[in-house]
Structures are given as C-alpha cells and as structure tokens.
Amino acid sequence: MYSPHMDKVFQIADALSVPARDLFEWDGVSRSR
C-alpha cells in the first residue's frame, strides 16, 4: 500500500476540489471507525 506525504495529499485534494479527509474514505465509511 502506498502512503503519500501529507503535502501531496493536500495537493491531490486541491486538484480534485475535495476535502483532504475525503481521500481517506471509501464508500462513505472512514477507515478510522
């Protein structure tokens, strides 16, 4: 599994116009739950 640096996560989120936390959710369920 790939773990990008947080600065890259924010760049990707900005490019997709989504909040960065949305990049860590699948099917509307957070992995932290």
Side-chain angles (χ1 to χ4, degrees), residues 1-2 5 7-12 14 21-22 24-29 32-33:
M1 186 175 282
Y2 177 73
H5 291 276
D7 60 328
K8 295 295 182 189
V9 170
F10 287 107
Q11 289 176 352
I12 293 167
D14 187 49
R21 71 170 184 249
D22 286 358
F24 295 98
E25 295 181 359
W26 292 268
D27 298 327
V29 178
S32 62
R33 291 184 192 171

